[in-house]
């Protein structure tokens, strides 16, 4: 074993000496535009992308290039993922690997031997059909194969051991040392510099004139480098430099292993294999099979020693043996070949099995590129390109929220126990089927809003989002609380015996209608015909105040906010590329009553409410916009201090009138206005709540924003008043169905940071005159010249569900994919949103092009006729929001 470790090290060291321009005795520059810390795949890829664009960038590695986790990676590169952004990231990496040799004259280590995904169940095959369909939208060739057809591609597989396979000929594998050597040669040719054996002892931090922390440089044993931009690409060691600055990343190191078989001559040139159901992979390495996978009981590490360079652990077969049994079933020849060598090294994992990237909200100038969950080789090329755009142009080209560090709240970033639980489950479930409505079991009940207990007692089946528990839907067979995480029965824990919650989740483990489809439909029907209450407490709630709050609001938000007090305006906040970072409501405030939901401030203030799934991202973006201009304005986050009950439906005004003397008529409390309203308690107590006349479902409705200490009192008063009206609780499954049916946007799906308001049909939210807002130039350019994609709505004639990611055809040509899919219960059809692009020319898209074609949607490999709509066909005139219902 020791001999094998040494031979691997010598091979890598030889390649590094031959190809990397080394600075063995560092003479460091005084200044650099960007300093990258970490010489693995992420760091080398980012140095390449930055220097290619003329940025004065250097890379510091405390040991030798690839000595961390990069050197021992399996290096698999797949093309298909259940996510359009990740498919594009993978495509960027693959394209880079295929062209790097022609650019620098050095082999990148890329081998295009293809890839097989093995299926053992019909649901897994359905998942592969979804991958295949989405891949078609990006020109990726793939084929669903029978066992016999699969055996023709990989003759050593036992066709009796599986049911189907997905074959992607464009997949491959890369050698990490060769890739990093090629990247650094290209980087140094472009003026970049690489310094090995140069650790970073400290980040030098200063403060802006407004008191915000910013990067000023890095201190090393060989000198100090001044810089305003540092990239943390240190992988499993990502927290070492940051913790003294009270900056934390939810990184959890674990042992991750694979074994290398003795010689099997027949495997040379065969495709790599992923058997998701057996949770294992084959990486073809010459005439050997490298076999690894993801087990339910990985060995968790407290931390990886700083000097753990080119290091390995002894393989624990009591953990790894679960893969060997499956590998032999799939490929009997593997069992006969024997094991030549083992590789067991540290890898860093994250709570959602996604990398951690982007600007740190607590230190201006610090960017992250780490936590790659053993997928750094295939993601690093694409991620480096996006990070480079992030640094140079303020935002990436793609919607990178799933990787953005700001998807985690500050509290989550510090919560070690939470991060370990979630990272363990994400590791164990890495090869599980990705069902649209699946829920984690680890790290639950982390954030509970004030209504949590009372709603669980009323039958709420909870979902987790951004750490919050929120009702998914309601059942009438008693409470179904989420159980404490049982770690799959490992690490000395006992498995939970109460499986009611897990049993409910299993009703969604399919790509057909959910077992809860009719139950959710009843909630939607109650909203359309009567009234329901949604708990929206996890929504982001922020007050923007200060001497220059008005100037800040004009810069951040696109809408005209020069409105009377208590006017609620739907608006967007954009990035410099015109992409929508936030869509939200902003209520103008001029007076206050010194209460939590109505705080004291001077001048004009703004109450901002945005979606909860991206709450901290919302706050961070607003804060960055304020810092960018140096406005004297402040943000007060009251998300955890206020609850929100949203009562929606034709009977909502009647019910609310029972518990307040406030005039709720259209004349007094018109749509898109707000007021402080007194709610009457049964004991004579009055409760002040801020009421917003808004709706996320397209009905007459009101949001009640309530101080947390009185939330349960107000809830009980409201439900008691509504009992005679059959007022019901409703959850987010019906809420999203209703909002999609009305044609409202859901940020992160049909509205993202790579969509402009013009493209998303939200031009009405963007003022044409007055104070300039961020991104306005792009919006005005598209107003004048047109956009190259447009959001449209598609309804299916067949009674089958849509979940999003389905390919969309116009006149037999793919023009996009579904961003979002829901069942519209009132319209009684599947409905989804898609951005339509032209295929006939490079001209901007127009309404005639959208409406003139014949449309079809591909679901599980079959085409279904669809109708196209420029806006949702439900209540197109918006009468219901006004309370105008037909008798």
């Amino acid at each position: 074993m020791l001999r094998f470790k040494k031979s691997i090290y010598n091979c890598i060291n030889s390649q590094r000496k031959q190809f990397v321009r080394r600075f063995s005795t560092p003479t460091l520059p005084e200044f650099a535009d960007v300093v990258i810390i970490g010489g693995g795949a992420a760091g080398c890829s980012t140095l390449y992308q930055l220097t290619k664009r003329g940025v004065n960038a250097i890379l510091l590695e405390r040991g030798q290039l690839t000595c961390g986790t990069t050197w021992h990676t399996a290096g698999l590169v797949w093309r298909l993922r259940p996510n359009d952004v990740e498919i594009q990231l993978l495509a960027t990496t693959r394209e880079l690997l295929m062209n790097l040799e022609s650019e620098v004259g050095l082999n990148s280590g890329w081998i295009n031997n293809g890839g097989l995904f093995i299926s053992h169940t019909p649901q897994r095959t359905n998942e592969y059909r979804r991958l295949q369909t989405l891949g078609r939208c990006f020109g990726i060739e793939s084929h669903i194969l029978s066992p016999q057809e699969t055996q023709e591609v990989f003759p050593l597989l036992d066709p009796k051991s599986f049911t189907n396979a997905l074959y992607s000929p464009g997949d491959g594998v890369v050698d990490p040392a060769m890739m990093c050597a090629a990247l650094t040669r290209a980087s140094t040719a472009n003026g970049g510099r690489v310094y090995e054996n140069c650790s970073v002892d400290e980040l030098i931090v200063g403060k802006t004139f407004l008191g915000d922390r910013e990067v000023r440089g890095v201190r090393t044993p060989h000198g100090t480098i001044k810089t305003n931009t540092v990239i943390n690409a240190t992988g499993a060691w990502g927290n070492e430099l940051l913790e003294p600055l009270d900056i934390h990343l939810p990184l959890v190191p674990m042992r991750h292993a694979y074994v290398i078989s003795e010689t099997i001559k027949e495997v040379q040139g065969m495709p790599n294999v992923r058997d998701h159901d057996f949770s294992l992979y084959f990486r073809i390495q010459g005439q050997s099979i490298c076999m690894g996978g993801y087990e339910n009981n990985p060995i968790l590490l407290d931390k990886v020693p700083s000097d753990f360079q080119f290091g390995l652990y002894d393989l624990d077969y009591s953990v790894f043996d679960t893969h060997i049994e499956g590998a032999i079933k799939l490929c009997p020849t593997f069992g006969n070949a024997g094991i030549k060598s083992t590789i067991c090294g540290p890898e860093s994992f994250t709570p959602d099995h996604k990398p951690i990237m982007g600007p740190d909200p607590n230190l201006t100038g610090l960017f992250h590129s780490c936590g790659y969950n053993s997928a750094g080789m295939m993601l690093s090329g694409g991620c480096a390109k996006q990070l480079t755009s992030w640094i140079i142009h303020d935002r990436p080209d793609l919607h990178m929220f799933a990787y953005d560090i700001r998807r985690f709240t500050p509290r989550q970033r510090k919560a070690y126990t939470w991060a370990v639980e979630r990272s363990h489950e994400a590791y164990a479930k890495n090869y599980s089927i990705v069902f649209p409505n699946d829920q984690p079991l680890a790290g639950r009940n982390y954030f509970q809003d004030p209504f949590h207990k009372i709603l669980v007692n009323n039958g709420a089946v909870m979902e987790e989002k951004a750490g919050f528990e929120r009702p998914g839907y309601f059942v009438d067979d008693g409470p179904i609380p989420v159980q404490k995480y049982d770690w799959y029965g490992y690490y000395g824990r006992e498995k939970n015996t109460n499986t009611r919650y897990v049993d409910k989740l299993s009703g969604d483990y399919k790509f057909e209608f959910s077992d809860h489809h009719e139950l959710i439909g009843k909630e939607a029907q109650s909203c359309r015909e009567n009234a329901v209450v949604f708990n929206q407490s996890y929504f982001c709630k922020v007050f923007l105040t200060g001497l220059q709050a008005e100037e800040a609001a004009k810069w951040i938000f696109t809408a005209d906010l020069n409105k009377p007090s208590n006017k609620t305006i739907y608006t967007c906040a954009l990035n410099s590329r015109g992409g929508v970072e936030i869509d939200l409501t902003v209520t103008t405030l001029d007076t206050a009553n010194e209460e939590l939901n109505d705080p004291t401030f001077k001048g004009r203030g703004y109450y901002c409410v945005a979606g909860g799934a991206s709450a901290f991202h919302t706050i961070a973006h607003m804060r960055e916009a304020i810092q960018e201009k140096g406005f004297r304005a402040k943000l007060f986050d009251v998300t955890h201090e206020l609850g929100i009950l949203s009562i929606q439906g034709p009977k909502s005004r009647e019910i609310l009138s029972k518990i307040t003397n406030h005039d709720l008529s259209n004349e007094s409390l018109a749509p898109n206005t707000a007021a402080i309203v007194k709610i009457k308690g049964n004991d004579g107590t009055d409760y002040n709540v801020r009421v917003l006349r808004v709706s996320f479902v397209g009905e007459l409705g009101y949001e009640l924003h309530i101080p947390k200490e009185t939330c349960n009192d107000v809830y009980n008063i409201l439900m008691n008043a509504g009992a005679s009206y059959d007022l019901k609780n409703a959850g987010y499954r019906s809420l999203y169905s209703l909002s999609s049916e009305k044609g409202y946007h859901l940020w992160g799906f049909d509205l993202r940071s790579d969509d402009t308001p013009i493209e998303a049909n939200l031009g009405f939210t963007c003022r044409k005159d007055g104070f300039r807002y961020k991104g306005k130039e792009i919006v005005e350019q598209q107003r004048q010249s047109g956009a190259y994609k447009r959001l449209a709505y598609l309804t299916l004639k067949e009674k089958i569900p849509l979940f999003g990611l389905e390919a969309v055809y116009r006149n037999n040509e793919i023009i996009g994919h579904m961003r979002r899919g829901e069942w519209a219960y009132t319209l009684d059809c599947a409905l989804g949103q898609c951005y339509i692009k032209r295929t006939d020319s490079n001209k901007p898209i127009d309404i005639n092009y959208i409406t003139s074609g014949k449309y079809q949607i591909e679901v599980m490999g079959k085409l279904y006729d669809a109708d196209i709509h420029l806006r949702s066909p439900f209540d197109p005139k918006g009468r219901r929001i006004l309370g105008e219902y037909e008798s």
Side-chain angles (χ1 to χ4, degrees), residues 114-148:
L116 284 166
F117 286 178
I118 302 298
S119 169
H120 296 264
T121 67
Q123 288 295 9
R124 179 70 75 178
T125 302
N126 282 340
E127 181 186 39
Y128 291 167
R129 288 194 177 99
R130 281 173 55 78
L131 292 179
Q132 182 184 42
T133 295
L134 181 60
R136 273 197 255 274
C137 299
F138 297 93
I140 298 175
E141 177 189 358
S142 65
H143 310 274
I144 299 289
L145 305 181
S146 69
Q148 291 70 33

Side-chain angles (χ1 to χ4, degrees), residues 632-645:
R632 296 188 178 277
K634 294 182 179 181
L635 298 175
F636 295 95
D637 179 11
V638 292
T639 299
H640 292 271
E641 308 305 319
L642 296 176
I644 301 178
L645 292 178

Side-chain angles (χ1 to χ4, degrees), residues 514-528:
S514 164
D515 290 354
H516 317 299
H517 178 72
E518 292 185 5
L519 185 152
I520 295 166
K522 289 180 180 178
E523 293 181 7
Q525 183 182 15
S526 293
C527 181
R528 293 285 186 232

Side-chain angles (χ1 to χ4, degrees), residues 102-119:
S102 63
E103 180 181 342
V104 300
L106 193 61
N107 190 333
S108 68
W110 165 250
I111 299 174
N112 187 172
N113 59 327
L116 284 166
F117 286 178
I118 302 298
S119 169

Side-chain angles (χ1 to χ4, degrees), residues 810-830:
R810 178 187 179 275
N811 296 342
N812 301 314
E813 288 185 290
I814 293 179
I815 48 81
H817 66 275
M818 302 298 292
R819 285 279 194 86
R820 183 181 175 193
E822 299 281 353
W823 184 261
Y825 287 95
T826 310
L827 297 175
D828 193 31
C829 65

